[in-house]
Amino acid sequence: MARFPFSAIVGQDEMKQALLIAAVDPAIGGVMVFGDRGTGKSTAARALAGLLPPISAIQDCPYGCSKDDQARYPDVCGTGPLRKRPVPFVDLPLGATEDRVLGALDLERALRSGEKAFEPGLLAKAHRGFLYIDEINLLEDHLVDLLLDVAASGENVVEREGLSVRHPAKFVLIGSGNPEEGELRPQLLDRFGLSVEVRTPGDIESRVEIMRRCAAQEADSQLFADNWADEDAKVLRRVDRGRKRLASVTIPDAVLHKAAELCMAVGADGLRGELTLMRAAKALAALEGAKTVGQAHLVAVAPSALRHRLRRDVLDETGSTARIERALDEVFA
Amino acid sequence: MSRAEPAPPDPARDACLALSLFLTAPAQLGGLSLRGSGPAREALLEMLRDTGVAVRRMPAHVDDERLLGGVDLAVSLASGRTVRARGLLEEIAGGVLVVPLAERLDHAIAGRLAQALDSDARFGLVLLDDGIENEGPPAALLERIAFFHLRCDLGGGLFQAPRPGAHKGFNLLG
């Protein structure tokens, strides 16, 4: 069955924008999606991975290493020629064992030939792609620790069962969850560059349109995908152009000032708020083909870059999105 | 990163100084603990690697066999005699062991590291502490290392009021 096209997702603009920004600049550090079940969270992430151009990786390398990786990790990947392969999209199930996530001793080879070999895990598979964790707030603590370490260092170090292996593991982390079902450790939340809130669409028109599109997709997924191919190609061109332009996009000092003012106004923890705000605004400008970052870009990304970094204020029970909107009004008055 | 900018507030320089001192005799000084993740700590780790000292990262899920060494079963069975495999602590002799997420470190592993530091230690520890509020690395390790509570996060006091230009990173060496 052909995947659901990214451009055919109705509404959810903030989520789509955040995912595209992460695709343009993976260094932003992933997207956390809060919200209701069945709002297209995993569909959107999956669709984006399917839409992106294939990566070129060493043939048969279990880690999907690039040429640069090969130079840094000469022991783990082969010397084969470069081949195209689709952008990886890996689902991390909540019940995954550490062995499955990290990789472990290849028992079959150990028993058959007495050879100590490493069988790569999900982290290896996700290298240069997306690692998707549904209900991330229910993930067990020891898996959270392990993810935090790998996400921060960009490599997976395995020292167990007599194995000593180090391989690259850089991925865009996509988490989804419902904050009411359990809190996310602040350190994990902090790893996500952007966070978005998705809601079930509130108007009849959108809901009807969603039903229409889903019915069409279920009837003939290939035809549906073909019908949306042009729209998807447009999105792909934007991402491609964005990636090429990203390095040359400039940010005027005035915009940096506004970013800092905004972060102070909302009381964001630390400086990571500004840094993400700046990067995300830059990626958005690149996506839109602008040469410089304008205030509009800043305003557009502010809620997703800052929402999860607000200090809790016991006297102010207003939701974080509302607090950011208020601050935006003040700063850009 | 402009050299003309005034030196940043002190925590970053303290951390730099501590790192340089630590590197003069890693095993004797035990180690240092760097609190708060972010570009500043990455820069310090980069400095550490650039000095050429052997650096290994110890993942939190290390097992005893890999940490302390044990019998290499495959080789022992093949050769018909007991062959010992070296553990991480032996392999890192003369170098530095980096411990990420030190605030979450299992107490059993912390105990083994502490014991190793007490008996003729030949390595230094760099604890990466991502704790918030009261979280922190195990006391058993903190009391055995020379430099601790070095703040190198970007928030919480390192920069009270961000200055323009602070976004571009700051000059660690002042």
Side-chain angles (χ1 to χ4, degrees), chain A residues 98 102 114 116 141 145 149 153 157-164 185-187 257 270-272 274-275 278, chain B residues 37-38 56-57 59 61-63 65-66 72 74 88 100-101 103-104 130 132 135 154-155 159 162 164 167:
Chain A
E98 273 186 17
L102 293 166
K116 210 162 29 176
D141 260 352
D145 287 348
D149 185 19
S153 62
V157 181
V158 180
E159 299 280 358
R160 55 203 280 173
E161 296 175 309
L163 293 165
S164 182
R185 283 238 305 278
Q187 289 96 330
H257 272 274
L271 268 191
R272 205 163 291 175
E274 271 102 325
L275 294 173
M278 175 185 79
Chain B
S37 64
R56 289 282 288 272
R57 211 176 163 90
H61 47 76
V62 67
D63 60 16
E65 191 192 340
R66 272 303 299 141
D72 189 327
L88 205 48
L101 292 163
E103 82 284 2
R104 306 273 308 163
D130 289 353
I132 42 176
E135 295 171 335
L154 284 170
F159 287 109
H167 313 275

Side-chain angles (χ1 to χ4, degrees), chain A residues 281-296:
Chain A
K282 214 173 146 184
L284 182 64
L287 259 176
E288 293 185 346
K291 288 197 175 70
T292 53
V293 178
Q295 287 194 1

